[in-house]
Amino acid sequence: MKKLLLPALIAATFSVSAQNALEITVEQPKNEITIAPEMYGIFFEDINFAADGGLYAELVKNRSFEFTNSPLMGWLTYGKVEVRTDAGPFPRNPHYLRLNNTGLLMGTGIMNEGFRGMGVMEGKHYNFRFFSRAVGLGEAKLKVELISAANDIIASSEAEVTSGEWSEYKLQLKPDRTCSRASLRIGLVSPGELDIEHVSLFPADTWKGRENGMRKDLAQALADLQPGVFRFPGGCIIEGNNLETRYQWKHSVGPVENRPVNENRWNYEFQHRFTPDYFQSYGLGFFEYFLLCEDFGAEPLPVISAGIACQWATDECVPMEHMEPYIDDALDLIEFANGPVTSEWGRVREEMGHPEPFNMKYIGIGNEQWGEVFPVRLEAFQKAIKSKYPEIAVIGSSGPSADGKRFDYLWGEMKRLKVDLVDEHYYKDPEWFLASADRYDTYERKGPKVFAGEYACHVPDRKNSFYSALCEAAFLTGIERNADIVRLATYAPLFAHVDAWQWKPDMIWFDNLRSVRSANYHVQQLYRLYQGTNVMQVKAAEENVTGQNGIYASVVTDENSRQLIIKIANVNKSAIPVILSLKLKGLPEVLKGNKIILKANPGDENTLEAPELVKPDESDATFTGNTISLQVEPESFQVLVLEI
Ligand code: AHR
């Protein structure tokens, strides 16, 4: 048996005859290995328009006129429009507009372009909301319209601003046709002046019907993963390019109108994907993240700044003597999530409509930090958190790469600090993924556990090809085998807008109306839905199955559903015979269940136009005796789910 290190190259000429089937034995391990119930989950970051312009269903870009140095970005104005900052209704978002209809024929108004347009559907309702005051005497009348890409008016309504005090106004729009690139026009049709602020348009039909809600199809795609853990809100955005622009969770709670806008550090990160109109409204903030966790039954895993800004960018560091507010942010966050309603931050949660605690168990400190500046700051967090909340698991970091000097140094420090878990990141090529299925076989069992917090297989064109997903499936057999040390795993990144991405590959792609689940999504889903509870020992000639004959395998049982679950990836271009001898006690004579297979051409990729090119195929499976003989299909990942 031969372990293939470069299967993509070798596979073309490699074949195995029935005589040299790969013989695998499956046994109970000497020591029980249980899988964390929340093992496989999701990692969400506002990159690629994942939040604003994506999951967060708001259709208006720059609704508060707060984009830094460009309060009118995303807006077209006509007639007499002035940006003002005196005495607006929301102190943390000071800009608002004064419209003055002087009676010119053109009139006065504003138009919003949305996030690469607005996706609206025929016959559906859209909730339009704004804050306004009439200036001077009298009332003011606004015409509110949705305009199609072909410049037709596809929905229209009117609003009357009746007060000279700032007040909230609402109306509904119902487009008479579907359009993926509509825009919003608001015209002041009565003569005189009016002030306007926080101009918002949401589909009425959001996920769970929430007013400040999520786009339904995208939230559903997450729900269908049944994620066990939900890491948020990043990624690099928690660090910020500098300390000023780090993600501050306290800015993301309370009334949405008063959540201050922050720049999105992915706006100018890549010159070839320059996105200067990318900001964070914080409309999808920590309260909404916790709610989503509750909806999905996922453990919340918030990550906050360690007092170090992106080290690739500015490397700004908070002096140790000024770390207190950062550490308070961590303590207050735990209080916000779990504290009684009588506590300061528990009360904020209650005021937002959730008196019950969110039962948060994990907190991540820092993202991809490195060097001595990190452990010393992490230690301060760790001490403060553990002395007040010993039950909270603290997650440290091993930096931006999967190995090397920085990685080794940080792992040493994480052990010294006795953090509960260490976040590891790896964006690597197929060869690495296939050669690393044994990565955790030799990890030290004492000390911190592993959270594989960001990983993805990057093929040369960085497509979400079936081959990239297959390599991840093969690698994940190793994660599953080592579930005693790897307690959590999340693919990255999660979402990308086809017209506004900065980074690929990504698990779910979307435009303004449609979404598509990648081959990688299906691998994640299969691992999650069939993750089991207990790891079995799987050996071929006394070795873990990590690429012999191009085969990767892991086996688990599920004590709750009484299932034996066998996962096999074949990275060869030919079918491989495999014989599994099941040396497990109490198996039925006939094993019945399903075979779920993911199989496609290596370069196949699901797209909005062909969303189901790569998808799992399910069939019945029956085996007799304690031996399972298979011809494992070429370039395939299969899961056998058998009743026991
Ligand atoms: O997932 C995209 C980025 O990759 C994350 O923000 C960062 O943590 C990593 O470098």
Side-chain angles (χ1 to χ4, degrees):
M1 278 171 294
K2 187 162 152 222
K3 184 166 170 179
L4 301 181
L5 290 183
L6 294 169
L9 304 176
I10 297 168
T13 53
F14 186 84
S15 75
V16 180
S17 69
Q19 287 90 311
N20 24 3
L22 184 69
E23 291 183 20
I24 295 176
T25 52
V26 179
E27 291 176 88
Q28 284 280 352
K30 279 195 197 82
N31 301 315
E32 185 184 47
I33 301 175
T34 55
I35 301 164
E38 60 265 38
M39 171 97 169
Y40 302 105
I42 49 178
F43 158 54
F44 186 95
E45 173 164 29
D46 193 3
I47 183 172
N48 305 320
F49 277 24
D52 289 293
L55 180 63
Y56 185 51
E58 173 64 83
L59 295 168
V60 175
K61 185 170 68 186
N62 194 10
R63 65 186 173 189
S64 301
F65 314 105
E66 293 297 333
F67 283 11
T68 322
N69 302 325
S70 307
L72 286 175
M73 192 181 270
W75 295 92
L76 249 181
T77 67
Y78 57 98
K80 201 170 169 206
V81 177
E82 185 192 355
V83 179
R84 299 177 68 113
T85 52
D86 57 311
F90 308 115
R92 298 210 284 190
N93 283 324
H95 295 83
Y96 65 91
L97 300 186
R98 175 158 294 176
L99 312 188
N100 183 351
N101 182 356
T102 54
L104 289 177
L105 277 183
M106 179 171 62
T108 291
I110 52 178
M111 291 181 73
N112 191 270
E113 66 189 21
F115 299 90
R116 308 293 180 271
M118 296 176 181
V120 294
M121 286 184 233
E122 179 186 346
K124 298 270 184 192
H125 288 99
Y126 292 83
N127 293 332
F128 179 71
R129 191 169 85 96
F130 64 105
F131 289 79
S132 189
R133 66 177 172 194
V135 181
L137 297 175
E139 297 178 349
K141 194 185 268 184
L142 288 171
K143 184 174 257 189
V144 185
E145 295 161 314
L146 280 170
I147 313 293
S148 75
N151 232 0
D152 296 323
I153 297 168
I154 59 173
S156 180
S157 188
E158 283 189 349
E160 288 197 359
V161 174
T162 48
S163 167
E165 301 295 320
W166 283 108
S167 313
E168 184 184 18
Y169 296 87
K170 291 178 177 180
L171 58 83
Q172 274 200 331
L173 293 169
K174 190 175 164 194
D176 62 16
R177 70 203 84 158
T178 294
C179 180
S180 66
R181 287 179 186 274
S183 56
L184 176 72
R185 182 163 71 197
I186 303 148
L188 176 60
V189 288
S190 56
E193 289 184 315
L194 158 146
D195 291 339
I196 190 163
E197 162 66 313
H198 194 85
V199 180
S200 167
L201 183 71
F202 268 83
D205 191 17
T206 56
W207 167 255
K208 304 252 175 211
R210 291 188 186 123
E211 218 174 90
N212 184 52
M214 306 300 135
R215 207 177 113 171
K216 216 173 170 181
D217 60 328
L218 299 183
Q220 189 61 53
L222 300 184
D224 290 346
L225 285 167
Q226 299 182 19
V229 65
F230 188 157
R231 175 178 177 234
F232 59 86
C236 290
I237 64 163
I238 69 111
E239 304 168 40
N241 273 333
N242 51 29
L243 287 168
E244 201 193 327
T245 56
R246 73 189 187 280
Y247 195 106
Q248 298 192 52
W249 75 266
K250 286 175 180 165
H251 290 177
S252 80
V253 297
V256 286
E257 306 84 29
N258 203 23
R259 298 183 192 175
V261 169
N262 193 8
E263 75 165 39
N264 189 309
R265 54 98 58 216
W266 296 107
N267 53 5
Y268 48 81
E269 178 71 16
F270 301 117
Q271 286 303 303
H272 65 292
R273 301 294 309 169
F274 198 58
T275 322
D277 60 338
Y278 201 2
F279 286 77
Q280 300 175 79
S281 70
Y282 286 149
L284 166 50
F286 266 44
F287 181 76
E288 290 76 21
Y289 283 120
F290 279 116
L291 272 188
L292 283 174
C293 291
E294 197 168 79
D295 294 343
F296 301 151
E299 294 293 347
L301 195 166
V303 186
I304 63 168
S305 161
I308 306 167
C310 177
Q311 291 171 278
W312 303 110
T314 58
D315 203 2
E316 270 182 13
C317 248
V318 180
M320 284 308 291
E321 63 274 22
H322 295 146
M323 280 298 293
E324 202 178 310
Y326 289 75
I327 293 168
D328 284 349
D329 272 358
L331 299 176
D332 293 343
L333 173 59
I334 300 168
E335 186 174 287
F336 175 72
N338 296 352
V341 296
T342 48
S343 63
E344 182 189 350
W345 288 100
R347 190 160 47 251
V348 175
R349 185 189 70 239
E350 184 194 31
E351 281 164 8
M352 294 187 76
H354 203 286
E356 308 79 17
F358 284 117
N359 299 317
M360 152 184 166
K361 294 199 318 205
Y362 296 107
I363 188 165
I365 306 298
N367 177 44
E368 289 182 343
Q369 282 20 105
W370 67 73
E372 288 170 15
V373 289
F374 179 52
V376 70
R377 281 164 184 75
L378 177 60
E379 190 166 11
F381 278 95
Q382 162 97 337
K383 271 194 187 136
I385 294 169
K386 288 291 180 184
S387 65
K388 196 161 180 197
Y389 300 107
E391 71 284 6
I392 296 288
V394 174
I395 302 179
S397 167
S398 57
S401 38
D403 46 32
K405 246 171 136 181
R406 282 177 183 156
F407 177 89
D408 294 341
Y409 165 73
L410 280 179
W411 252 105
E413 288 297 285
M414 295 304 112
K415 285 179 184 163
R416 179 180 70 78
L417 295 177
K418 296 192 173 58
V419 296
D420 296 284
L421 291 111
V422 177
D423 184 11
E424 292 192 353
H425 294 180
Y426 23 88
Y427 297 102
K428 295 285 196 179
D429 60 24
E431 288 74 26
W432 186 92
F433 270 85
L434 295 179
S436 301
D438 60 359
R439 176 179 176 86
Y440 296 109
D441 293 351
T442 49
Y443 259 52
E444 201 184 304
R445 261 42 196 179
K446 285 186 229 123
K449 309 285 187 207
V450 175
F451 168 31
E454 291 182 32
Y455 64 90
C457 175
H458 286 186
V459 293
D461 52 7
R462 290 181 66 158
K463 273 174 41 169
N464 281 96
S465 66
F466 172 67
Y467 189 61
S468 72
L470 179 60
C471 293
E472 286 155 9
F475 172 78
L476 283 168
T477 58
I479 289 225
E480 188 166 274
R481 178 172 55 255
N482 289 284
D484 57 330
I485 180 87
V486 187
R487 302 299 284 169
L488 304 170
T490 55
Y491 178 95
L494 191 52
F495 281 121
H497 191 299
V498 289
D499 297 326
W501 58 271
Q502 293 79 44
W503 178 296
K504 62 180 188 171
D506 304 284
M507 217 205 295
I508 300 161
W509 287 82
F510 59 91
D511 65 10
N512 288 341
L513 291 172
R514 303 168 295 171
S515 55
V516 54
R517 302 168 183 199
S518 65
N520 314 74
Y521 175 100
H522 291 300
V523 166
Q524 293 295 318
Q525 192 183 42
L526 287 173
Y527 267 92
R528 175 60 184 162
L529 297 187
Y530 304 105
Q531 75 165 44
T533 56
N534 292 66
V535 180
M536 298 296 107
Q537 180 184 286
V538 181
K539 298 271 184 188
E542 307 294 315
E543 301 278 340
N544 293 327
V545 184
T546 57
Q548 299 95 318
N549 295 1
I551 293 290
Y552 297 77
S554 59
V555 177
V556 295
T557 55
D558 192 312
E559 300 294 309
N560 304 319
S561 59
R562 302 294 312 148
Q563 286 169 330
L564 175 72
I565 300 162
I566 301 168
K567 301 190 182 80
I568 304 181
N570 176 7
V571 298
N572 289 292
K573 290 204 178 298
S574 53
I576 297 292
V578 168
I579 299 170
L580 290 131
S581 304
L582 306 177
K583 302 194 168 163
L584 302 170
K585 285 194 199 119
L587 289 185
E589 180 53 31
V590 180
L591 283 166
K592 278 194 177 165
N594 293 325
K595 168 178 159 178
I596 304 150
I597 186 162
L598 204 55
K599 183 172 159 34
N601 296 317
D604 283 355
E605 183 181 33
N606 287 343
T607 60
L608 290 169
E609 288 67 38
E612 301 211 328
L613 191 59
V614 188
K615 68 168 193 318
D617 193 39
E618 200 164 326
S619 57
D620 292 341
T622 305
F623 303 99
T624 347
N626 287 343
T627 303
I628 295 182
S629 294
L630 301 167
Q631 279 292 328
V632 182
E633 288 85 339
E635 293 174 322
S636 69
F637 172 55
Q638 63 180 272
V639 186
L640 298 173
V641 187
L642 305 168
E643 308 306 320
I644 53 174

